[in-house]
Amino acid sequence: MSLPSSLPASTGPTSGARTRRRGGGDVVPYDFRRPIQLSREHQRILQLGFDGFTRQATTVFTSALRSVCSVSMRTIDQRSYAEYVDSLGQLTYMTLFTTEPMPGRSVLHLPLDAVMSCVDHMLGGPGSPSQPNRPLTEIESGVIAGLVDRLLREMRYSLAAIVAMDPEVTGVEYSPQFAQVAGAADVMVVIELELRIDDRSFPMSVCLPFNGLHPHLAAAAAPAPVSNRERAQRDEAAQVLQRSFTEVPVEVSVRFRSSTVDPAVLAGLRVGDVLRLGHPATAPLDVTVDDEAFAHATAGAQGQRLAALIVAARPVADAPAPVAPPTPAAAAAPMTSVLDAVLAGDVLAPAYDAGGARDPFAGALADHTAHPAAHLTQELR
């Protein structure tokens, strides 16, 4: 599809806005086969919880290693378990733990060189950058297990506002391919952290099951319960608003059904001409508010004024309490009065004089065929 040659392809402001939008950020690929289920609100709640965990983890590492350490959060992301496993090295240190009452298991991941450096520091060594790349011995496993237990306790405390989980270590794996935590396609919440020991940085991550975490995130994102005083104030405000709306005057019209007329006929109308209406003689008129019909009526007269007798009404949910029917002198009736009159089968009286005892609308219905052109646009209001 191309623009016509007479129109410019783009204008200055539009192209400038597009340029600003393009430069606003990087393009992120989106896989429509795996829609993102972790909303920004849930990410914000998790970020608040893990901000506290990073502060406590910094204290744990610094006190345990007797060295300057820090833990900072990088990203919170939703991934499949297969994608998470592929992002890890072939040989690493994965602590598997349960998160009751959440179903499933979770992972606390530390790189193997970071674990070896921690063990070296805790045993009195300098924690040099050159560390052996092998599984831990039994003594080394016992040393690092105490550090991991402290980290899990701090995680439990930091996430207490989201879920009161009770982490319990179920095993340790060095190969990510053998860590059977979840199915390959299961959705996981991955929190990537950065651990710094002296001048060296190591990637660190926590992997939690999304299906078990999502109900607790939704409950944490729900609005806080209000007090009895606030609830009473809200109820009073709702009642005041409802009373204000029920007293707002609206214009009510009683109309014939629309008729199709050729524009040439309308242009040639003169006083005394006759137009055939498309409204059947036996059909009632429509009672409308803002062009929306809510009842049906027949034309008539009430004294010297035109009137309409309600013959059918549509069901109205939550109808207000009955009020007195509108008086003939009322120029505009409140909505509640109109609906009550409709439901009660009262006569709806317009606010203008018909100009005589005879009702021209009733006469138009009597001849069943035509109506004077002078009365074509007249409405009962």
Side-chain angles (χ1 to χ4, degrees):
M1 181 177 67
S2 60
L3 292 172
S5 58
S6 60
L7 296 177
S10 62
T11 59
T14 303
S15 58
R18 291 178 179 175
T19 303
R20 289 193 297 269
R21 285 197 295 268
R22 291 194 191 101
D26 298 333
V27 177
V28 179
Y30 184 85
D31 190 354
F32 288 92
R33 295 173 298 180
R34 291 196 300 269
I36 296 177
Q37 305 177 35
L38 187 65
S39 64
R40 291 187 178 182
E41 180 67 17
H42 295 167
Q43 289 182 357
R44 187 186 67 85
I45 294 174
L46 283 175
Q47 182 177 358
L48 293 177
F50 276 94
D51 280 343
F53 172 71
T54 55
R55 292 191 295 268
Q56 298 299 326
T58 297
T59 304
V60 170
F61 277 106
T62 301
S63 61
L65 306 186
R66 302 294 194 272
S67 181
V68 178
C69 302
S70 66
V71 180
S72 59
M73 187 170 58
R74 296 173 57 188
T75 60
I76 298 177
D77 196 8
Q78 169 191 318
R79 305 179 193 172
S80 65
Y81 183 68
E83 293 174 343
Y84 174 69
V85 169
D86 293 339
S87 65
L88 304 179
Q90 295 182 355
L91 190 63
T92 186
Y93 189 84
M94 301 174 64
T95 302
L96 314 182
F97 62 95
T98 59
T99 54
E100 295 293 339
M102 292 193 306
R105 292 191 295 175
S106 303
V107 177
L108 174 61
H109 163 252
L110 286 169
L112 194 57
D113 52 350
V115 173
M116 288 294 186
S117 180
C118 291
V119 173
D120 193 4
H121 276 287
M122 295 173 70
L123 294 180
S128 59
S130 58
Q131 297 291 337
N133 188 19
R134 57 167 176 79
L136 273 65
T137 63
E138 185 176 353
I139 296 178
E140 295 170 342
S141 298
V143 172
I144 200 65
L147 178 63
V148 172
D149 287 340
R150 292 181 61 186
L151 290 175
L152 293 180
R153 287 198 299 268
E154 297 300 337
M155 185 185 301
R156 173 187 178 182
Y157 172 78
S158 301
L159 299 182
I162 302 174
V163 52
M165 66 177 184
D166 186 15
E168 182 178 352
V169 177
T170 59
V172 174
E173 286 290 345
Y174 295 96
S175 176
Q177 304 298 330
F178 292 99
Q180 301 298 326
V181 174
D186 289 351
V187 180
M188 311 294 288
V189 177
V190 180
I191 299 93
E192 293 185 350
L193 309 171
E194 182 182 9
L195 169 64
R196 296 190 65 87
I197 302 176
D198 294 331
D199 295 333
R200 301 180 60 195
S201 62
F202 305 93
M204 177 181 172
S205 63
V206 178
C207 181
L208 302 173
F210 175 80
N211 291 335
L213 187 61
H214 181 263
H216 300 281
L217 290 175
V226 297
S227 62
N228 294 334
R229 179 180 178 182
E230 293 177 345
R231 189 178 296 108
Q233 292 176 349
R234 292 183 181 181
D235 294 341
E236 183 180 358
Q239 293 176 4
V240 171
L241 183 62
Q242 184 178 6
R243 288 196 301 267
S244 301
F245 271 111
T246 55
E247 296 175 357
V248 174
V250 295
E251 291 188 357
V252 181
S253 302
V254 181
R255 302 178 179 178
F256 291 100
R257 297 181 185 177
S258 60
S259 303
T260 303
V261 181
D262 189 84
V265 177
L266 290 178
L269 286 178
R270 298 293 183 270
V271 178
D273 291 346
V274 176
L275 284 178
R276 184 179 297 274
L277 300 180
H279 189 97
T282 57
L285 307 179
D286 293 333
V287 183
T288 63
V289 173
D290 289 338
D291 297 330
E292 189 71 24
F294 66 91
H296 302 288
T298 58
Q302 188 178 40
Q304 297 297 322
R305 297 179 178 272
L306 299 176
L309 178 64
I310 304 299
V311 295
R314 297 182 181 179
V316 179
D318 300 332
V323 297
T327 60
M335 190 61 185
T336 52
S337 302
V338 173
L339 294 180
D340 291 332
V342 167
L343 296 177
D346 291 335
V347 173
L348 185 59
Y352 62 86
D353 201 330
R358 174 177 166 77
D359 180 10
F361 286 93
L365 292 178
D367 59 23
H368 303 298
T369 56
H371 189 279
H375 298 150
L376 178 63
T377 59
Q378 188 176 10
E379 294 180 344
L380 300 178
R381 297 186 182 275

